[in-house]
Amino acid sequence: MNDSVQLIIAGQAGELAVFVQGDPAGPPVVMTHSILSSSMMWEAQANLLAEGGFYVVRADTRGHGASATPAGPYTLDDLAADTVAVLDELHIARAHYVGLSLGGMSGFGLGIHHADRLLSLVLCDCRADAPPAFLAPWEERISTVQKHGSCAPLAHSTVERWFGVPYLERNPTTAERFRRTAAATSAEGFSGCARAIQKLNYLTDVPRISTPTTLLVGSNDGPLPGALRDIQAVLPGTVLEVIADAGHLPNIDQPEAFNSALLRHFERVAS
Protein backbone atom coordinates (compact mmCIF):
# COMPACT_ATOMS: atom_id res chain seq x y z
CA MET A 1 0.00 0.00 0.00
CA ASN A 2 1.24 3.49 -0.87
CA ASP A 3 0.83 6.05 1.89
CA SER A 4 -0.91 9.24 0.82
CA VAL A 5 0.48 12.72 1.48
CA GLN A 6 -1.81 15.66 2.17
CA LEU A 7 -1.15 18.89 0.31
CA ILE A 8 -2.92 22.24 0.62
CA ILE A 9 -3.11 24.08 -2.67
CA ALA A 10 -4.71 27.27 -3.93
CA GLY A 11 -8.13 26.72 -5.48
CA GLN A 12 -10.27 29.20 -7.39
CA ALA A 13 -11.86 30.57 -4.23
CA GLY A 14 -9.93 29.09 -1.30
CA GLU A 15 -7.50 26.41 -0.23
CA LEU A 16 -8.15 22.84 -1.35
CA ALA A 17 -6.92 19.75 0.44
CA VAL A 18 -5.57 17.04 -1.85
CA PHE A 19 -4.10 13.66 -1.05
CA VAL A 20 -1.47 12.30 -3.42
CA GLN A 21 0.05 8.83 -3.63
CA GLY A 22 1.81 6.61 -6.10
CA ASP A 23 4.51 7.30 -8.64
CA PRO A 24 4.53 10.97 -9.76
CA ALA A 25 5.84 9.74 -13.11
CA GLY A 26 2.84 7.43 -13.56
CA PRO A 27 -0.41 8.25 -15.35
CA PRO A 28 -2.26 10.84 -13.21
CA VAL A 29 -5.76 10.13 -11.91
CA VAL A 30 -7.84 12.80 -10.12
CA MET A 31 -10.73 11.57 -7.97
CA THR A 32 -13.60 13.64 -6.56
CA HIS A 33 -16.46 12.64 -4.31
CA SER A 34 -20.13 13.03 -3.47
CA ILE A 35 -21.74 15.85 -1.50
CA LEU A 36 -21.60 15.24 2.29
CA SER A 37 -18.55 13.02 1.86
CA SER A 38 -14.83 13.58 1.32
CA SER A 39 -11.85 12.10 -0.46
CA MET A 40 -11.82 9.34 2.18
CA MET A 41 -14.48 7.52 0.15
CA TRP A 42 -11.84 6.77 -2.52
CA GLU A 43 -9.15 5.33 -0.23
CA ALA A 44 -9.45 1.72 -1.41
CA GLN A 45 -9.45 2.67 -5.10
CA ALA A 46 -6.55 5.09 -4.58
CA ASN A 47 -4.50 2.29 -3.01
CA LEU A 48 -5.40 -0.06 -5.86
CA LEU A 49 -4.44 2.44 -8.56
CA ALA A 50 -1.27 3.60 -6.82
CA GLU A 51 -0.13 -0.01 -6.51
CA GLY A 52 -0.83 -0.34 -10.23
CA GLY A 53 1.56 2.47 -11.13
CA PHE A 54 -0.82 5.44 -11.28
CA TYR A 55 -0.24 8.80 -9.62
CA VAL A 56 -3.46 9.31 -7.65
CA VAL A 57 -4.77 12.70 -6.56
CA ARG A 58 -7.85 12.72 -4.32
CA ALA A 59 -9.33 16.18 -3.84
CA ASP A 60 -11.66 17.35 -1.08
CA THR A 61 -14.38 19.45 -2.72
CA ARG A 62 -14.68 23.03 -1.44
CA GLY A 63 -16.64 23.08 1.81
CA HIS A 64 -15.93 19.38 2.44
CA GLY A 65 -13.24 17.41 4.24
CA ALA A 66 -10.14 19.48 4.91
CA SER A 67 -10.77 22.04 2.15
CA ALA A 68 -11.72 25.64 2.86
CA THR A 69 -15.31 26.87 2.63
CA PRO A 70 -15.62 29.96 0.45
CA ALA A 71 -18.87 31.90 0.56
CA GLY A 72 -21.58 30.27 -1.55
CA PRO A 73 -23.48 29.60 -3.63
CA TYR A 74 -21.26 27.75 -6.08
CA THR A 75 -21.76 26.41 -9.58
CA LEU A 76 -20.70 23.11 -11.05
CA ASP A 77 -18.43 25.07 -13.37
CA ASP A 78 -16.77 26.44 -10.20
CA LEU A 79 -16.14 22.90 -8.97
CA ALA A 80 -14.74 21.89 -12.37
CA ALA A 81 -12.46 24.95 -12.23
CA ASP A 82 -11.23 23.79 -8.82
CA THR A 83 -10.17 20.50 -10.41
CA VAL A 84 -8.29 22.40 -13.12
CA ALA A 85 -6.61 24.45 -10.38
CA VAL A 86 -5.46 21.21 -8.74
CA LEU A 87 -3.95 20.07 -12.04
CA ASP A 88 -2.26 23.44 -12.48
CA GLU A 89 -0.76 23.46 -8.97
CA LEU A 90 0.57 19.93 -9.40
CA HIS A 91 1.89 20.69 -12.92
CA ILE A 92 -0.28 17.97 -14.48
CA ALA A 93 -1.06 18.76 -18.10
CA ARG A 94 -3.74 16.09 -18.54
CA ALA A 95 -5.26 13.52 -16.19
CA HIS A 96 -7.75 10.73 -15.98
CA TYR A 97 -10.76 11.89 -13.96
CA VAL A 98 -12.97 9.77 -11.70
CA GLY A 99 -15.96 11.50 -10.12
CA LEU A 100 -18.98 10.14 -8.27
CA SER A 101 -22.33 11.86 -7.67
CA LEU A 102 -21.45 15.56 -7.22
CA GLY A 103 -18.00 14.73 -8.60
CA GLY A 104 -19.61 13.07 -11.60
CA MET A 105 -21.82 16.10 -12.22
CA SER A 106 -18.86 18.47 -12.24
CA GLY A 107 -17.08 15.89 -14.40
CA PHE A 108 -19.56 16.60 -17.16
CA GLY A 109 -18.48 20.24 -16.91
CA LEU A 110 -14.85 19.19 -17.22
CA GLY A 111 -15.60 17.12 -20.29
CA ILE A 112 -17.52 19.96 -21.92
CA HIS A 113 -15.28 22.91 -21.04
CA HIS A 114 -11.83 21.48 -20.22
CA ALA A 115 -11.30 18.54 -22.57
CA ASP A 116 -7.73 19.64 -23.18
CA ARG A 117 -6.90 18.74 -19.56
CA LEU A 118 -8.35 15.22 -19.69
CA LEU A 119 -7.06 11.79 -20.65
CA SER A 120 -10.35 10.04 -19.85
CA LEU A 121 -13.50 10.30 -17.75
CA VAL A 122 -15.13 7.85 -15.33
CA LEU A 123 -18.44 9.34 -14.22
CA CYS A 124 -20.30 7.42 -11.53
CA ASP A 125 -23.82 7.54 -10.10
CA CYS A 126 -24.66 10.95 -11.47
CA ARG A 127 -26.78 12.72 -14.03
CA ALA A 128 -26.38 15.77 -16.28
CA ASP A 129 -29.77 17.40 -15.75
CA ALA A 130 -32.09 18.29 -12.87
CA PRO A 131 -35.69 17.19 -13.52
CA PRO A 132 -38.38 18.11 -10.94
CA ALA A 133 -38.26 14.81 -9.05
CA PHE A 134 -34.50 15.16 -8.64
CA LEU A 135 -34.77 18.78 -7.52
CA ALA A 136 -37.61 18.23 -5.05
CA PRO A 137 -35.65 17.32 -1.87
CA TRP A 138 -32.82 19.83 -2.13
CA GLU A 139 -34.57 22.95 -0.86
CA GLU A 140 -35.72 21.16 2.30
CA ARG A 141 -32.21 19.80 2.89
CA ILE A 142 -30.69 23.27 2.50
CA SER A 143 -33.30 24.75 4.87
CA THR A 144 -32.61 22.06 7.48
CA VAL A 145 -28.87 22.67 7.39
CA GLN A 146 -29.25 26.45 7.54
CA LYS A 147 -31.73 26.22 10.43
CA HIS A 148 -29.38 24.07 12.52
CA GLY A 149 -26.10 25.56 11.28
CA SER A 150 -24.87 22.01 10.84
CA CYS A 151 -25.11 19.04 8.50
CA ALA A 152 -25.61 16.66 11.42
CA PRO A 153 -29.41 16.44 10.91
CA LEU A 154 -28.83 15.06 7.39
CA ALA A 155 -26.15 12.52 8.26
CA HIS A 156 -28.27 9.52 9.23
CA SER A 157 -30.84 9.79 6.43
CA THR A 158 -28.19 10.49 3.79
CA VAL A 159 -26.07 7.46 4.64
CA GLU A 160 -29.17 5.27 4.87
CA ARG A 161 -30.27 6.45 1.43
CA TRP A 162 -26.83 5.73 -0.03
CA PHE A 163 -26.40 2.23 1.34
CA GLY A 164 -29.71 0.89 2.64
CA VAL A 165 -30.33 -0.40 6.16
CA PRO A 166 -29.24 -4.03 5.61
CA TYR A 167 -25.77 -2.98 4.41
CA LEU A 168 -25.36 -0.52 7.29
CA GLU A 169 -26.35 -3.15 9.84
CA ARG A 170 -23.76 -5.54 8.39
CA ASN A 171 -21.05 -2.86 8.22
CA PRO A 172 -21.36 -0.64 11.33
CA THR A 173 -17.82 0.73 11.10
CA THR A 174 -18.36 1.96 7.55
CA ALA A 175 -21.77 3.33 8.53
CA GLU A 176 -20.34 5.34 11.40
CA ARG A 177 -17.45 6.66 9.35
CA PHE A 178 -19.74 8.01 6.63
CA ARG A 179 -22.18 9.46 9.16
CA ARG A 180 -19.32 11.27 10.92
CA THR A 181 -18.01 12.63 7.62
CA ALA A 182 -21.46 13.84 6.56
CA ALA A 183 -22.14 15.45 9.94
CA ALA A 184 -18.76 17.23 9.90
CA THR A 185 -19.32 18.79 6.48
CA SER A 186 -19.49 22.58 6.58
CA ALA A 187 -23.09 23.85 6.51
CA GLU A 188 -22.04 26.60 4.10
CA GLY A 189 -20.13 24.10 1.98
CA PHE A 190 -23.11 21.78 1.74
CA SER A 191 -25.49 24.63 0.93
CA GLY A 192 -23.15 26.04 -1.70
CA CYS A 193 -22.76 22.68 -3.41
CA ALA A 194 -26.48 21.92 -3.13
CA ARG A 195 -27.21 25.21 -4.91
CA ALA A 196 -24.80 24.10 -7.64
CA ILE A 197 -26.70 20.82 -7.98
CA GLN A 198 -29.99 22.74 -8.27
CA LYS A 199 -28.57 24.49 -11.34
CA LEU A 200 -27.33 21.28 -13.02
CA ASN A 201 -27.92 21.81 -16.74
CA TYR A 202 -25.26 20.01 -18.79
CA LEU A 203 -27.44 17.55 -20.67
CA THR A 204 -27.80 19.46 -23.94
CA ASP A 205 -24.02 19.93 -24.11
CA VAL A 206 -23.11 16.32 -23.25
CA PRO A 207 -22.82 15.31 -26.94
CA ARG A 208 -19.88 17.74 -27.17
CA ILE A 209 -17.77 15.50 -24.91
CA SER A 210 -15.03 13.84 -26.96
CA THR A 211 -12.97 12.41 -24.07
CA PRO A 212 -13.02 8.59 -23.73
CA THR A 213 -15.71 8.01 -21.13
CA THR A 214 -17.00 5.19 -18.93
CA LEU A 215 -20.23 5.51 -16.95
CA LEU A 216 -20.57 3.42 -13.78
CA VAL A 217 -23.70 3.16 -11.63
CA GLY A 218 -25.17 0.99 -8.90
CA SER A 219 -28.16 -1.05 -10.06
CA ASN A 220 -30.15 0.03 -7.00
CA ASP A 221 -29.43 3.75 -7.37
CA GLY A 222 -32.97 4.88 -8.21
CA PRO A 223 -33.36 6.54 -11.62
CA LEU A 224 -29.63 6.97 -12.24
CA PRO A 225 -29.07 3.77 -14.29
CA GLY A 226 -31.73 5.03 -16.71
CA ALA A 227 -30.30 8.55 -16.77
CA LEU A 228 -26.86 7.21 -17.64
CA ARG A 229 -28.27 4.92 -20.33
CA ASP A 230 -29.74 8.05 -21.93
CA ILE A 231 -26.32 9.72 -21.78
CA GLN A 232 -24.60 6.67 -23.27
CA ALA A 233 -27.03 6.89 -26.19
CA VAL A 234 -25.76 10.35 -27.17
CA LEU A 235 -22.05 9.63 -26.59
CA PRO A 236 -20.87 7.09 -29.18
CA GLY A 237 -18.18 4.78 -27.88
CA THR A 238 -19.03 5.40 -24.24
CA VAL A 239 -19.17 2.31 -22.02
CA LEU A 240 -21.87 1.93 -19.37
CA GLU A 241 -21.47 -0.63 -16.59
CA VAL A 242 -24.24 -1.23 -14.06
CA ILE A 243 -22.86 -2.64 -10.79
CA ALA A 244 -25.23 -5.34 -9.53
CA ASP A 245 -26.65 -5.10 -5.99
CA ALA A 246 -25.02 -1.70 -5.46
CA GLY A 247 -26.41 1.62 -4.26
CA HIS A 248 -25.22 5.19 -4.64
CA LEU A 249 -21.61 4.44 -3.65
CA PRO A 250 -20.85 1.19 -5.48
CA ASN A 251 -17.13 1.62 -4.82
CA ILE A 252 -17.95 1.04 -1.14
CA ASP A 253 -20.77 -1.51 -1.10
CA GLN A 254 -19.57 -3.59 -4.08
CA PRO A 255 -15.85 -2.78 -4.23
CA GLU A 256 -14.68 -5.87 -6.13
CA ALA A 257 -17.14 -5.34 -8.97
CA PHE A 258 -16.53 -1.60 -9.02
CA ASN A 259 -12.75 -1.99 -9.00
CA SER A 260 -12.90 -4.50 -11.85
CA ALA A 261 -14.98 -2.07 -13.91
CA LEU A 262 -12.57 0.77 -13.10
CA LEU A 263 -9.56 -1.28 -14.20
CA ARG A 264 -11.37 -2.30 -17.38
CA HIS A 265 -11.78 1.40 -18.16
CA PHE A 266 -8.06 2.05 -17.87
CA GLU A 267 -7.24 -1.02 -19.95
CA ARG A 268 -9.67 0.16 -22.62
CA VAL A 269 -8.34 3.71 -22.85
CA ALA A 270 -4.74 2.48 -22.82
CA SER A 271 -5.41 0.33 -25.87
Side-chain angles (χ1 to χ4, degrees):
M1 182 181 298
N2 295 270
D3 292 333
S4 65
V5 175
Q6 181 178 341
L7 306 174
I8 300 295
I9 68 170
Q12 293 291 295
E15 292 182 335
L16 296 169
V18 300
F19 299 81
V20 300
Q21 65 192 103
D23 181 0
V29 181
V30 177
M31 313 185 84
T32 64
H33 56 82
S34 63
I35 197 168
L36 287 174
S37 185
S38 77
S39 57
M40 68 87 175
M41 63 167 277
W42 288 121
E43 285 176 356
Q45 287 72 39
N47 290 334
L48 174 73
L49 293 176
E51 289 166 1
F54 289 88
Y55 182 52
V56 185
V57 180
R58 291 179 291 130
D60 281 345
T61 298
R62 60 169 71 184
H64 289 69
S67 288
T69 304
Y74 318 139
T75 68
L76 290 164
D77 284 349
D78 291 334
L79 303 188
D82 282 345
T83 298
V84 173
V86 169
L87 297 178
D88 288 343
E89 285 286 316
L90 297 178
H91 306 291
I92 296 172
R94 299 173 73 205
H96 301 284
Y97 178 85
V98 181
L100 189 149
S101 192
L102 176 63
M105 297 176 206
S106 65
F108 284 115
L110 280 171
I112 293 162
H113 299 301
H114 302 283
D116 61 319
R117 305 305 300 273
L118 297 172
L119 296 170
S120 74
L121 287 166
V122 182
L123 305 178
C124 315
D125 296 83
C126 58
R127 61 184 310 135
D129 61 339
F134 173 77
L135 284 175
W138 286 104
E139 200 62 44
E140 180 180 356
R141 293 170 187 166
I142 293 167
S143 296
T144 297
V145 165
Q146 291 179 341
K147 175 182 176 182
H148 292 272
S150 166
C151 290
L154 298 184
H156 187 88
S157 61
T158 296
V159 173
E160 187 172 297
R161 186 169 62 252
W162 286 350
F163 294 108
V165 172
Y167 176 87
L168 297 176
E169 289 178 344
R170 294 193 306 270
N171 298 275
T173 301
T174 299
E176 180 57 26
R177 190 178 190 202
F178 276 89
R179 289 188 192 111
R180 278 200 316 269
T181 301
T185 301
S186 155
E188 178 74 12
F190 168 81
S191 298
C193 287
R195 293 294 186 206
I197 289 171
Q198 288 179 313
K199 296 190 286 285
L200 174 61
N201 188 29
Y202 286 135
L203 188 58
T204 56
D205 288 322
V206 161
R208 292 170 48 194
I209 295 175
S210 58
T211 303
T213 300
T214 293
L215 308 171
L216 301 180
V217 64
S219 64
N220 300 332
D221 199 4
L224 293 184
L228 289 179
R229 285 190 186 96
D230 292 342
I231 287 171
Q232 183 194 27
V234 298
L235 278 180
T238 294
V239 171
L240 168 65
E241 294 208 39
V242 180
I243 309 298
D245 300 317
H248 191 55
L249 272 61
N251 64 309
I252 302 296
D253 62 11
Q254 293 293 343
E256 290 186 8
F258 182 92
N259 292 350
S260 294
L262 185 63
L263 293 177
R264 280 193 293 274
H265 166 82
F266 289 118
E267 290 166 2
R268 179 171 72 92
V269 299
S271 64

